[in-house]
Amino acid sequence: MNNISKLKAGDSVDTFYLIKRSQQGVTSQGKPYMTLFLQDRTGDIEAKLWTVSKEDMEVLKPETLIKVKGDIIDYRNKKQMKIATFRLATEEDGLNPKDFVEKAPIDENTLYESIMDYVIKIENGSLQRIVRQMLKKYGKEFLSYPAAMSNHHDFVSGLAYHVHYMLRTAEALCDIYPSLNRSLLYSSIILHDIGKVKELSGPVGTTYTTEGNLIGHIVIASEEISKVTAELNIEGEEVLLLKHMILSHHGKLEYGSPKQPMLKEAEILHFIDNIDARMMMMDKHIDKAEKGQFTERIFPLESRFFYRPEHLE
Amino acid sequence: MNNISKLKAGDSVDTFYLIKRSQQGVTSQGKPYMTLFLQDRTGDIEAKLWTVSKEDMEVLKPETLIKVKGDIIDYRNKKQMKIATFRLATEEDGLNPKDFVEKAPIDENTLYESIMDYVIKIENGSLQRIVRQMLKKYGKEFLSYPAAMSNHHDFVSGLAYHVHYMLRTAEALCDIYPSLNRSLLYSSIILHDIGKVKELSGPVGTTYTTEGNLIGHIVIASEEISKVTAELNIEGEEVLLLKHMILSHHGKLEYGSPKQPMLKEAEILHFIDNIDARMMMMDKHIDKAEKGQFTERIFPLESRFFYRPEHLE
Amino acid sequence: MNNISKLKAGDSVDTFYLIKRSQQGVTSQGKPYMTLFLQDRTGDIEAKLWTVSKEDMEVLKPETLIKVKGDIIDYRNKKQMKIATFRLATEEDGLNPKDFVEKAPIDENTLYESIMDYVIKIENGSLQRIVRQMLKKYGKEFLSYPAAMSNHHDFVSGLAYHVHYMLRTAEALCDIYPSLNRSLLYSSIILHDIGKVKELSGPVGTTYTTEGNLIGHIVIASEEISKVTAELNIEGEEVLLLKHMILSHHGKLEYGSPKQPMLKEAEILHFIDNIDARMMMMDKHIDKAEKGQFTERIFPLESRFFYRPEHLE
Amino acid sequence: MNNISKLKAGDSVDTFYLIKRSQQGVTSQGKPYMTLFLQDRTGDIEAKLWTVSKEDMEVLKPETLIKVKGDIIDYRNKKQMKIATFRLATEEDGLNPKDFVEKAPIDENTLYESIMDYVIKIENGSLQRIVRQMLKKYGKEFLSYPAAMSNHHDFVSGLAYHVHYMLRTAEALCDIYPSLNRSLLYSSIILHDIGKVKELSGPVGTTYTTEGNLIGHIVIASEEISKVTAELNIEGEEVLLLKHMILSHHGKLEYGSPKQPMLKEAEILHFIDNIDARMMMMDKHIDKAEKGQFTERIFPLESRFFYRPEHLE
Amino acid sequence: MNNISKLKAGDSVDTFYLIKRSQQGVTSQGKPYMTLFLQDRTGDIEAKLWTVSKEDMEVLKPETLIKVKGDIIDYRNKKQMKIATFRLATEEDGLNPKDFVEKAPIDENTLYESIMDYVIKIENGSLQRIVRQMLKKYGKEFLSYPAAMSNHHDFVSGLAYHVHYMLRTAEALCDIYPSLNRSLLYSSIILHDIGKVKELSGPVGTTYTTEGNLIGHIVIASEEISKVTAELNIEGEEVLLLKHMILSHHGKLEYGSPKQPMLKEAEILHFIDNIDARMMMMDKHIDKAEKGQFTERIFPLESRFFYRPEHLE
Amino acid sequence: MNNISKLKAGDSVDTFYLIKRSQQGVTSQGKPYMTLFLQDRTGDIEAKLWTVSKEDMEVLKPETLIKVKGDIIDYRNKKQMKIATFRLATEEDGLNPKDFVEKAPIDENTLYESIMDYVIKIENGSLQRIVRQMLKKYGKEFLSYPAAMSNHHDFVSGLAYHVHYMLRTAEALCDIYPSLNRSLLYSSIILHDIGKVKELSGPVGTTYTTEGNLIGHIVIASEEISKVTAELNIEGEEVLLLKHMILSHHGKLEYGSPKQPMLKEAEILHFIDNIDARMMMMDKHIDKAEKGQFTERIFPLESRFFYRPEHLE
């Protein structure tokens, strides 16, 4: 109980939360106060601590666990928490910050096994070896990182969860359209966003790294593949094809791909990526709407709003 | 042998072909000649008849079968046939014009059965009844019409062939993403392009009808659904949803949809439609390219060219 | 006096207003308050009630008439009303909510007669019968609905007022350019926005209906014409032309028309519609500006600002 | 008879025409020939003279009248004339080149009187004086120049004919929308394209001048108004307003206006200009189409094709 | 000390500032307060005076010098000044408002001499005479005006400072690419923005004039050149070329140039203008960022953010 | 004499040329012929050989030197050569194909020395070492390759010639704007297009390689820098910065850069690249125009045409 996603105006809380971000402020009367963004694994909420000591300011840092007493109010149509008192969590509380962040609905191990099942199906030897070596080098991050900063799959293990779903769609499409090369499609799906493990800072409190901003995950991934093929002494057309798949997977130049898809499988990779990201976003927003009502406008879905049918199950 | 798709400069022919289009011309020296576009089920070719009588002009009409002697030359990088002599096909030749047009690789009956297997899986009773009634009214045209004038599925039964493939992908996606409503998605796939049976003139020698130009298949289909629901006394939210699926299936206003997708299933319908059309176009052009070479620029694929890998099977 | 459009910071009020919308809030100190949007026929204003009982919250609903004592203040460059006390209007006050909403400057009956004068001038019998039947079915709503949710003609009888002005311009253009077909142009002007009577919820407190969002007034109107022609057993080219006029009247695909204008009269309909909407918006904003000054940026006029000349009358 | 617009393949001619343009060529066999574009007041046609002497080449210059014997053929779906023999027109033939170019359907004098009737209605004294002085300086060219190089009103007196129609529409709109300032609208319509008299080379054989290319008729007109107001010692806001009307009359920056319309009258001027140009283009192309058929795609009308109704008069 | 650009939350001030703008407000409790934007030559800051008399309201007008006691607080991530007390500056304080506005880093006289050195290098006599006459007429404003309202060079003498830098780049490019005409490039750089002296209201408290809004500095400058050439009896191609340089210097129609560059020098003028404006904006924002960090998104630089390297000097 | 750029209709030739491309054709009468594109170092021309033997077809291959007798004719406003007879060049003719292709106006050695002078000025040690190593690996191709397939610098040594000019402009801008980092700008200019040595097939008969099409010179160059820094054990921020400079040098995503410029130097690199490419294109086309005339529309310069002044030197 007291899950953040369930809180509503009028509720009182006396619960542990993790500090996601914190900001100091001064009221118009000149008194200091603090704004904390508190989270648990169901969501996050803005909280205000109106009376604050110098010492408070020092300990209320991001990724700190605190126990909070307070009330939920409605401020400009958004929920806000007014903190009455708080204390830092101690070792005796026996809590782990990792239990306070959102995670993929499937656990890491299951995702890993599912993905490895597809690795086995990569019949082209060079491509399978490249994928295995990449997962050997970056598997840990691959399994814990989110797939994006926001919008979709922005949670722990979001990247692997996204890949897992994409592989399932790819398998179906290869069955329906046998002219698609399964090895090329599976290997590029597994590696398409692996550059994110260098573009993003980590699974929690995620920000862009300097390398992420200046180079970007698309070029990072392409270079990592080059390094791995050099390490493994792999040569041949499939290396070029795999790199093209990665480079073109945003589908259009204006979306940051330096090349448009020029392979059938590259075109399809872009569609599979898009379908999974959009299903995730649509489900997330439509689930929040009432039946027979529309969602808010969703910015990454071209600012459209979506309808949740009333009678259709 | 002598299939049009296989002809090359230097070949001679002595074969039956169907006239697709014909034009009269006059050379700069003032002499009449005729340009014929001849076809068989593998493709079409431009042919010139440099010496032509008044009588010839009258009989060389579209959809006429003729037996032609002539040679294939290379004119400005395109193959052209120079007709030496010709005669009209007679009843004794025992030929049917229908055997000289391109057809879907799967025959009508098989397509019909495949599609009916999906109709059964439409669990929503109203939607299933609407689909059955529409197929009852327009089933014959639905099974013989192309899906488009050009670019993709522009052959006899192209529409049903397109629907057949889309249904298979839809089934796979509903398995992977169970939040999708199967009834809504299947019924809208079957009906999404059914307005083409009024937009286009027919399966052979296809042109746009006046109604097709002025109203368009999207609005035509939406209205036909309204008529059928009136006939069947069906009311309820699903009628609105089904019509929205049809109206929004081009995905964007600038592609001719009067509404953008506002249903999860509408968004996915647009993707499935796109994937099948693009697979068809990519396969068609890539098959024509040599291994290790690029295709020509393909206009409906954003004028990109595609690569046919050399070593990848 | 005390018309909302005339209020300025520093004024006190003791007047009846209609509640247009209401929202509950909680101050950062945790106390409840209410925001009301009050209107009379000259405009609307945001009002704050800082001290509020449970009972107050229940009675302060949209479309309720209240008598308010309060002061006008300037809050972030916008006028706001601070409500001191209020009471509900009673039967003895003898007031009608309909007198507190904005209306077209010409009354319904006059608009109806003016439009019927043009109906008589539709010489094409089929078109005149279609228009008469449509007005018979939807005339009541046609005369009271606004032409839009916001921007222009967003008041009671706005739709008929808009049509009335468009007909006058159409008549002038048909005199100047005799090649225009008067029957087609008049009938399509009268019906061009009639789908709004289903797209919008009503003349007061107007919102979009679900059908409005999912289908849209353009397709709704086209289908209604089809129904009427079926009812009247009317066939012929003019039905197709009339429907094309409706479908294309937004002028471009990206504005929501599924077809671009392909008739001379369709092109001109789009211009006449645009001129009347823009005159309305320009007059509304320019009238509010001081002489020799510019208006604010007007979003639906491509975010331009307009100049009100100083000396020109 | 033998009017160019009426010629069809198979016709023979023995008639006088005016040379509009001429080009020399050499056949692939190395023999010289000439291409002439011949015109009369109904249109123009490409003509070939396959045998040509040095002397012929010297006399067959633009704006020369010749009598031609020849035949009309169909070359790549366009009519072409094959010249057998020709001779230069002589004084005895009593012909005037001016009778061989297309002209406005209303003669110069009538147009002048019609426009002067509107000048009188310009109640603002400064604006009327500016218009009179501009017409005094450039009236002759104003009455003979085309309104454009191609597309619409590209004939002798096209500019005045265009202005004449625009004034009639303006008058109607000022009656319907009395908030429009009649003086400003009439004066700016008369002067909006007067810069064309310097942008274009003349009424016949029209090309762009260097000044036209580098400065453009919009800025040229604005400067001419400044000169005239200096000559007449006119000052005041209306000069600024009139210049803004001219500068903004293309409606958008990307159409070459350095300012978007910021006056109500400027917005309306742009619409009136557009309506008249589009009516001219639509009529021209639709008149050429068969009833029940579509025109070719018309480039300046967003490459749309238009429908000519079958039964509607 | 107490320079506005150096102030940070927690500081106290007791210093003279210039009022840039002032606004009256009323708190939600109905009490009046004032918002002042105070400036010195290093920047500006928002200040609040929470207790305010009628008399205060009358004297706290823009361009007034006041001595302020107060504190700096952090309000929503921006610095704000809370004014405790203030007094008006008196003559005895011996202060000049001109010393409280931002100025170019090079003084007027030096800028003037630098620019005159380039005037001498204009070898084409007509162009040099035009430039000299323009500077004679508008030199005073030219030396004090900003180059823009905001974004770049928005300070006293910004226009001349901008021209000074552009001339230096032009000189370098003429050395590297000798086919560029030095006379044309120098003269057009000096005059390219001279219309700003009429488009903008002045060097301090700068706003757009009505003429600026309705005509714009591009057309204003072109007309002024025409006037000067008339005064000096200068004729010839170079006048046309110079005017074209001015008219096209925004590079594209959609940026407000009525003509795109059609001269080599016009194309280069646009690039030089762009480079100087962008260097100014990049330096300004990057200087404010920490080393190893990114700037905020900069709107006029396509909303990009920029990186300030950590180790590179 | 007989330089291709100087040939005009009516000329006869009896000269050596290099075959650039060749095509076989068949006339409408069924006879074979050949189209050759012949070049010397001043340009190229289309040539027709109307009578052709089987043997001729085998020897007339690209990069073959032949001696041609023939005439120049004017065919559809373009010059064409009609070949009467030809013979292959023999060893005795003592000719080298390399003397028949266009080259940079400055020879390789001079370009190399000029560029090395700038390498020395790269004060940052890491950047200088990277540049030296890259030139060591790819210097030979760097000095002989063109900078592009067409449009600009499409000749032998075009790449080095382009870099040479860019470095000169960069030096001037670093003098004028001292906040620019000279080491970063010089090193990235030298390397910005070095990926072209793998993207393009070579200095003569240049086509895109498969790697060029699928990966592109931008990503190729970035990876090569990574390899070189690994070889040299160079680490540090400057490697990231240099790679960002390469990746962003096309300036916008839609021009194929996977990142927009985020460094001041990256923004300026894009401008310098643009200026040099545009100067080259403008000079090439304007030189071909007559004085006082306009060029044709130039596609890569936004399809504008340019004016060549009449009197300005």
Side-chain angles (χ1 to χ4, degrees), chain B residues 15 17 54 60 86 95 127-128 140 197 204 249 252 304-305 313:
Chain B
T15 326
Y17 296 109
K54 285 237 158 161
L60 293 170
F86 76 94
L95 295 169
L127 292 174
Q128 192 184 121
K140 194 162 158 262
V197 308
V204 180
H249 86 268
K252 293 190 180 178
R304 277 175 282 156
F305 42 79
E313 278 321 301

Side-chain angles (χ1 to χ4, degrees), chain C residues 116-185:
Chain C
M116 289 313 291
D117 284 350
Y118 285 96
V119 173
I120 293 162
K121 295 176 191 162
I122 300 173
E123 296 185 357
N124 181 296
S126 298
L127 291 174
Q128 192 184 121
R129 288 172 64 213
I130 293 169
V131 170
R132 286 189 182 278
Q133 179 77 354
M134 289 289 282
L135 289 180
K136 198 169 150 193
K137 289 173 85 166
Y138 299 111
K140 195 163 156 262
E141 294 85 351
F142 174 73
L143 287 171
S144 65
Y145 268 57
M149 279 281 292
S150 55
N151 295 338
H152 73 97
H153 298 90
D154 50 344
F155 43 70
V156 171
S157 300
L159 176 53
Y161 187 69
H162 180 42
V163 163
H164 161 80
Y165 267 85
M166 286 175 66
L167 285 167
R168 294 177 63 193
T169 299
E171 186 169 32
L173 289 176
C174 287
D175 290 346
I176 296 166
Y177 300 105
S179 79
L180 291 170
N181 185 281
R182 213 174 279 260
S183 291
L184 189 57
L185 194 51

Side-chain angles (χ1 to χ4, degrees), chain A residues 202-244:
Chain A
V204 180
T206 310
T207 56
Y208 283 99
T209 61
T210 300
E211 184 179 3
N213 271 322
L214 295 181
I215 311 296
H217 72 276
I218 283 187
V219 172
I220 291 170
S222 174
E223 285 201 18
E224 291 297 328
I225 290 170
S226 295
K227 275 192 214 161
V228 158
T229 54
E231 289 162 18
L232 301 177
N233 268 319
I234 293 173
E235 281 184 356
E237 194 189 31
E238 51 269 75
V239 178
L240 211 55
L241 302 180
L242 178 62
K243 286 172 61 179
H244 175 74

